[in-house]
Amino acid sequence: MVQHHIQPDSEIPASKQLFDQIQFAIASRQYPPGHKLPSTRQLAMETGLHRNTISKVYRQLEETGLVESMAGSGIYVKAQGHEGGTQRQSPILQQYPQASGIVQQSLDELLSQGCSLNEARELFLAEIDWRLRCSARVLVTVESRDMGAGELMVQELESALGIPVQLVPLEELEQTLERTNSGTVVTSRYFIQKAEAIAAPKSVRVIPVDIHDYGQEIEIVKSLPKDSCLGCVSLSGGILRIVDVIIHSLRGDDLLLITAQVNDKYKLNALVRSARTIISDQASYDTVKRAILDARDDLIRPPKLVCSENYIGTKSINLLKRELGLG
């Protein structure tokens, strides 16, 4: 069960702390599509925030397209991208608006029962042909201000899928899709709404992937002694910004956090000399390890280095393989 922690004395507004925590829970699928968010009363009791503040956060989440309000029922995590039944532009689908959802649901059921794509193709030729065309080109898109997150996704997807994956800034996605008539766009739930708005009119599907929930890493953070110095290193500046908010919400001022992007040698060297524990993403691990070795003569005790799990959740990668006909 997801628990939300708010540091009332923080310089970070309480509403932003809560917004980022809920956004992280949705992006990591701790709150999956269709999940009902806690009521404002429940969250008020859990966090100590005023219900009006919580309502404001829920409205912001709704404006970003991550959740939807159902009158008399509550706030629910919104299904997005391919899982939401994206409609491809086709005269047949315009004539039969329910067809796409019916075909996809039936195909997924066949695949889950062990049916191969070649076998399913005999039953759903048009759908399978479309999926195979999309598999020919896979694009990862993120906002240009956080290309590090995109690089992490590309590395992990190329390793897991065994096919080339292209990284495209979200701001350039429309121009890139103008030059192709098929493909699959992959992104995290942080960017799904914008990517979907660009790709859907061009008959290109968007598949959101879930990020790792970092449960093990969060337990490490919780267990660190008071006044410890924790270092976090990543390719992605965006990831580090979220890490800052999440860890501050968990530990407040009783933990010193230092973050560094792996290509910032000055900050990385300072971090290595100060932190007792360092958590690194897999792409940065070897560089951090070398930095520790290079500084060993200056260190009384080398920091403990923890390599985090993949940025993309294992289940999400397996589902993506299935969608692309690679599993």
Side-chain angles (χ1 to χ4, degrees):
M1 179 178 177
V2 178
Q3 292 185 328
H4 299 287
H5 304 269
I6 302 298
Q7 292 293 331
D9 298 327
S10 171
E11 293 181 358
I12 301 173
S15 60
K16 176 169 175 54
Q17 292 185 52
L18 181 60
F19 179 92
D20 282 352
Q21 289 180 47
I22 295 176
Q23 190 179 39
F24 172 78
I26 293 172
S28 61
R29 216 178 180 83
Q30 296 176 78
Y31 285 164
H35 178 83
K36 183 179 180 181
L37 297 187
S39 68
T40 56
R41 182 185 297 274
Q42 288 175 293
L43 268 185
M45 294 176 62
E46 181 180 340
T47 64
L49 297 179
H50 194 281
R51 291 176 65 181
N52 288 345
T53 300
I54 298 169
S55 295
K56 177 183 176 182
V57 170
Y58 278 0
R59 286 195 298 272
Q60 291 175 331
L61 288 166
E62 192 168 5
E63 289 171 0
T64 64
L66 291 175
V67 303
E68 56 187 347
S69 174
M70 296 187 181
S73 179
I75 307 292
Y76 293 81
V77 177
K78 192 175 180 181
Q80 298 161 324
H82 183 64
E83 68 192 8
T86 300
Q87 297 293 314
R88 301 176 297 284
Q89 302 303 311
S90 163
I92 296 176
L93 293 177
Q94 291 174 10
Q95 185 177 359
Y96 303 102
Q98 303 298 321
S100 179
I102 294 171
V103 171
Q104 290 185 21
Q105 182 178 356
S106 300
L107 177 60
D108 288 342
E109 180 62 24
L110 284 172
L111 293 174
S112 70
Q113 294 179 17
C115 181
S116 70
L117 277 178
N118 286 332
E119 292 169 334
R121 188 167 184 244
E122 297 176 15
L123 300 173
F124 304 106
L125 184 59
E127 174 68 13
I128 296 302
D129 279 348
W130 181 74
R131 289 192 179 209
L132 292 177
R133 287 200 307 275
C134 289
S135 302
R137 190 176 193 196
V138 177
L139 309 175
V140 164
T141 190
V142 296
E143 291 182 348
S144 58
R145 62 185 173 86
D146 195 18
M147 293 298 283
E151 291 174 16
L152 275 177
M153 294 172 67
V154 167
Q155 289 184 25
E156 293 179 10
L157 290 178
E158 286 189 335
S159 175
L161 303 179
I163 60 174
V165 177
Q166 181 181 356
L167 177 59
V168 179
L170 188 61
E171 295 84 351
E172 299 175 15
L173 181 60
E174 185 170 8
Q175 296 92 320
T176 300
L177 295 182
E178 292 287 355
R179 300 190 290 269
T180 184
N181 57 5
S182 63
T184 294
V185 174
V186 178
T187 190
S188 75
R189 294 179 189 274
Y190 288 116
F191 309 116
I192 182 65
Q193 186 181 27
K194 293 179 180 179
E196 181 71 11
I198 295 169
K202 301 183 183 301
S203 301
V204 175
R205 66 176 173 175
V206 180
I207 298 180
V209 291
D210 303 315
I211 65 175
H212 176 58
D213 65 12
Y214 294 97
Q216 178 181 351
E217 292 81 356
I218 288 174
E219 289 304 314
I220 291 174
V221 171
K222 289 180 178 178
S223 68
L224 291 175
K226 185 177 180 180
D227 297 326
S228 292
C229 181
L230 170 66
C232 289
V233 183
S234 175
L235 270 177
S236 166
I239 291 174
L240 293 177
R241 286 191 291 272
I242 294 297
V243 164
D244 196 1
V245 173
I246 298 297
I247 292 180
H248 185 81
S249 299
L250 286 171
R251 296 296 303 266
D253 295 330
D254 69 359
L255 191 68
L256 175 62
L257 173 66
I258 304 176
T259 62
Q261 286 187 259
V262 69
N263 55 3
D264 188 334
K265 292 184 179 180
Y266 178 81
K267 288 192 69 175
L268 178 59
N269 288 334
L271 181 151
V272 163
R273 287 166 169 76
S274 301
R276 289 184 57 185
T277 302
I278 300 175
I279 299 176
S280 163
D281 61 33
Q282 292 191 12
S284 307
Y285 180 80
D286 288 341
T287 301
V288 178
K289 190 173 181 179
R290 284 196 300 270
I292 293 174
L293 288 174
D294 291 343
R296 60 184 179 275
D297 292 339
D298 300 329
L299 301 175
I300 298 175
R301 182 176 63 181
K304 178 182 178 182
L305 178 57
V306 178
C307 184
S308 67
E309 297 286 341
N310 280 353
Y311 178 61
I312 304 174
T314 302
K315 182 178 179 182
S316 197
I317 287 180
N318 290 336
L319 289 173
L320 182 59
K321 283 184 179 179
R322 189 183 73 183
E323 292 293 341
L324 296 174
L326 301 173

